[in-house]
Amino acid sequence: MAYPPSLTEAQKQYLHSSLTDYALAHGLVVRPADSLAPTNPSNTLATAAPVTLFPSLFPREAWMEARDVQEMYNELYVRVSRDEKWLGEVMESLKGVDEFMERLWAMHLKLRASGFAQSLSLGLFRSDYLLHQAEGDEEVSIKQVEFNTVSSSFGALSTRVSDLHRHLFSIGAFPSSPALNMDALPANPALDELAAGLAAAHEAYLAQQRKQKKNNVVILFVVQPGERNAFDQRWLEYTLLKTHSTPVLRHTLAELHSLAHISPSTSVLTIPHPSGTTVEVSTVYFRAGYAPTDFPTQTEWDAREMLERSMAIKCPTLITHLAGAKKVQQRLAEPNQLEYFFPSSYSNLISRLRRTFTALYPMDAHSQPGKLGRHLALQNPEKYVLKPQREGGGNNIYRTKIPTFLNSLPSDAHFDAYILMELIEPPAARNTIVRGGELLEGGVVGELGVYGVALWDAAENEGGLRVNREAGWLLRTKGVESEEGGVAAGYGCVDSVCLV
Ligand code: ADP
Ligand code: MG
Ligand code: MG
């Protein structure tokens, strides 16, 4: 089957203009890059977010499996977050070679020594996959790229792109194709589910504090200055207000350093409201603080520490943020680690999780797997990607660039800051990426992300999981020639699934 169907020039124009106007009218937008809008008076300009012209074909069974294992993945990362000793050993291995991780972990340990004010914890997670087809095999399966525990973005825009493609189908903007029908284009609940997760934390806080639902308790979004993907976050804010009557305020870490106050006696976090009142913060949702560049000065570090110390529920706490390290993913793929975290009654689910793993190697000189990792990275790098403990895209080193990169490090002790991962090579498809008003047609690869919501009580060892849900999905598509697929980092675009 030829997919996507070909377009006449007139069809292409109708599809492109219908898509653009729908995106602009429905807030499927980002702030423009400076190059696109050199003058942007009072930040009044927005531009259609990069999306695909057609929804991309995606095997229904693989999509179902990724969604089915999400609750199990949520539970795994909740269990990792609770196991300070296990996580501490992983963090120990990054000491002296990854200053950022070391500093976050030190902050966790320092605050832990004086005891945490809040034991409830919220995770808005996203597990990312590429499709994998073994040679000579008909079946395609999902292989995990990474698991995100902090700032998992694009939930709102991904809901909007599913709506967009359903709309374009409804108005007949797609030429007919056997693949394209309404059953193949599922509505994506990510926006509502993620907002419901934040609302659940807010409600839990109010119940804990024996407070009525009031306007003087808010959810705080911690954001980066000049964030271009602000509307993805704004949609969560608007949904929280409309569906859950829960107000939101947004601030950067630097702003919070001077605005936020923490009560010495109760650890309650308060911030001023622009109306002149003071409001209490139930939940701190981090869409910043995952990259070293989010902490240009001590001010931002101090603000992060104050937020962590407070009574507000954090999404995520420092320990859950660190549980999303690539090093944790690598360690979890070692033999018997899943068995360590789950009781034996989970054996069936454990094998389903393990089926999503691809080969991962440590890079230390002291273990057998580490020696193998070093050998592959230096002698045989063509099939591998080298990853530091960073988030946000654009940080990995690919294939033959790996040895030169490693040899440029100050010493081979610094290899330990990385993990080596086998490259997943998904089947290429065709689509058209619509970006900055241009249509770029060619070979593409899609990365499926599945969102998860977990709310748990860290003070309880078992049974403290209050909410555990699969929360919709994201399909991000990039040109085959690009190694990275991050939308915000400028490599890819938001897509939706056409299930086959
Ligand atoms: P980040 O936390 O910065 O998003 P990722 O692990 O997701 O880091 O890597 C960024 C991108 O690199 C992915 O979106 C994907 O396009 C590519 N990538 C990462 N790991 C692999 C892999 N094992 N095989 C193929 N591509 C990969
Ligand atoms: Mg990530
Ligand atoms: Mg990623």
Side-chain angles (χ1 to χ4, degrees):
M1 175 177 56
Y3 188 90
S6 53
L7 297 161
T8 64
E9 209 40 51
Q11 285 174 327
K12 191 185 276 181
Q13 273 187 21
Y14 178 57
L15 181 51
H16 188 194
S17 63
S18 303
L19 177 149
T20 304
D21 283 2
Y22 184 99
L24 293 174
H26 291 81
L28 178 44
V29 291
V30 292
R31 293 200 198 283
D34 291 344
S35 56
L36 205 63
T39 59
N40 185 354
S42 306
N43 233 355
T44 42
L45 298 181
T47 184
V51 296
T52 53
L53 200 53
F54 291 91
S56 285
L57 299 183
F58 202 91
R60 188 182 289 266
E61 270 178 39
W63 172 77
M64 288 290 291
E65 181 62 10
R67 295 178 58 207
D68 271 357
V69 295
Q70 187 57 38
E71 287 181 16
M72 180 81 171
Y73 263 124
N74 294 342
E75 191 173 341
L76 174 61
Y77 278 84
V78 168
R79 286 172 185 258
V80 170
S81 298
R82 279 183 168 145
D83 200 326
E84 202 176 39
K85 187 167 169 293
W86 188 92
L87 193 59
E89 281 169 21
V90 176
M91 289 301 135
E92 198 59 36
S93 74
L94 298 171
K95 221 174 173 170
V97 292
D98 191 318
E99 197 195 334
F100 184 58
M101 300 311 261
E102 194 174 344
R103 206 157 166 187
L104 290 169
W105 180 246
M107 186 187 286
H108 165 78
L109 291 181
K110 175 184 162 193
L111 295 174
R112 182 190 172 273
S114 49
F116 288 110
Q118 179 58 264
S119 66
L120 291 174
S121 187
L122 177 68
L124 299 187
F125 301 140
R126 200 187 68 223
S127 185
D128 291 339
Y129 306 92
L130 287 169
L131 287 172
H132 166 77
Q133 191 163 24
E135 258 180 29
D137 214 342
E138 283 237 323
E139 206 188 329
V140 281
S141 57
I142 44 162
K143 291 289 177 192
Q144 187 178 54
V145 172
E146 62 151 348
F147 191 89
N148 295 290
T149 59
V150 60
S151 285
S152 312
S153 58
F154 289 109
L157 295 194
S158 113
T159 288
R160 291 284 173 261
V161 176
S162 295
D163 291 346
L164 163 73
H165 285 147
R166 286 157 64 87
H167 165 78
L168 293 171
F169 174 78
S170 302
I171 62 167
F174 295 140
S176 77
S177 156
L180 280 166
N181 59 77
M182 222 43 181
D183 282 345
L185 305 176
N188 181 349
L191 169 58
D192 286 341
E193 290 284 347
L194 295 173
L198 287 161
H202 183 76
E203 295 294 331
Y205 180 91
L206 292 174
Q208 188 185 52
Q209 304 287 82
R210 301 196 201 308
K211 280 211 153 83
Q212 297 295 317
K213 192 161 200 137
K214 284 200 207 115
N215 271 342
N216 60 4
V217 186
V218 305
I219 294 181
L220 171 64
F221 284 18
V222 182
V223 298
Q224 293 176 330
E227 171 69 81
R228 285 189 53 213
N229 192 26
F231 304 104
D232 184 51
Q233 304 166 352
R234 286 287 189 188
W235 274 119
L236 284 171
E237 173 184 337
Y238 305 148
T239 306
L240 276 163
L241 192 64
K242 192 165 183 191
T243 310
H244 304 278
S245 308
T246 301
V248 167
L249 285 177
R250 297 162 60 84
H251 284 294
T252 63
L253 282 170
E255 287 164 355
L256 289 166
H257 185 260
S258 49
L259 292 178
H261 177 262
I262 174 168
S263 156
S265 55
T266 63
S267 299
V268 163
L269 181 68
T270 52
I271 50 175
H273 190 278
S275 68
T277 57
T278 295
V279 292
E280 182 171 341
V281 176
S282 70
T283 308
V284 184
Y285 175 45
F286 288 98
R287 291 290 290 259
Y290 56 84
T293 46
D294 290 337
F295 299 88
T297 68
Q298 185 61 34
T299 303
E300 289 80 10
W301 283 106
D302 290 345
R304 179 68 187 89
E305 184 170 325
M306 172 167 53
L307 298 172
E308 187 76 5
R309 201 153 46 81
S310 80
M311 181 71 186
I313 298 173
K314 267 72 67 184
C315 177
T317 58
L318 284 166
I319 200 167
T320 300
H321 172 175
L322 290 166
K326 310 283 189 297
K327 190 74 196 157
V328 168
Q329 181 190 10
Q330 177 267 306
R331 198 57 73 81
L332 286 171
E334 288 178 5
N336 300 318
Q337 293 301 322
L338 293 180
E339 286 79 359
Y340 165 79
F341 279 107
F342 289 116
S344 55
S345 59
Y346 281 54
S347 63
N348 179 34
L349 283 164
I350 288 175
S351 52
R352 279 172 81 182
L353 287 192
R354 191 164 282 131
R355 267 204 295 275
T356 69
F357 293 175
T358 192
L360 289 148
Y361 303 90
M363 289 289 291
D364 62 278
H366 319 292
S367 71
Q368 243 354 84
K371 283 180 193 156
L372 179 56
R374 285 183 172 214
H375 174 78
L376 293 170
L378 291 167
Q379 309 299 332
N380 231 335
E382 295 82 10
K383 288 192 170 129
Y384 297 95
V385 49
L386 185 76
K387 300 190 183 185
Q389 314 302 312
R390 289 290 89 86
E391 295 298 328
N395 299 301
N396 298 339
I397 298 101
Y398 294 87
R399 301 182 197 262
T400 51
K401 296 195 191 86
I402 298 173
T404 323
F405 174 81
L406 286 173
N407 289 324
S408 75
L409 295 176
S411 77
D412 72 352
H414 285 81
F415 292 10
D416 298 23
Y418 298 81
I419 62 151
L420 190 74
M421 184 174 191
E422 191 175 24
L423 279 166
I424 309 157
E425 302 198 45
R430 293 194 74 77
N431 208 331
T432 298
I433 292 175
V434 189
R435 171 189 281 278
E438 283 181 313
L439 302 180
L440 307 158
E441 197 187 334
V444 295
V445 160
E447 181 172 333
L448 179 74
V450 178
Y451 295 97
V453 171
L455 177 67
W456 71 98
D457 191 331
E460 294 173 41
N461 268 331
E462 295 280 340
L465 194 49
R466 308 259 188 103
V467 177
N468 181 10
R469 289 174 65 82
E470 181 262 316
W473 59 89
L474 162 73
L475 188 66
R476 262 177 317 171
T477 289
K478 61 174 181 177
V480 275
E481 67 288 346
S482 153
E483 276 157 332
E484 293 265 339
V487 182
Y491 307 101
C493 72
V494 189
D495 194 348
S496 79
V497 292
C498 178
L499 298 172
V500 284

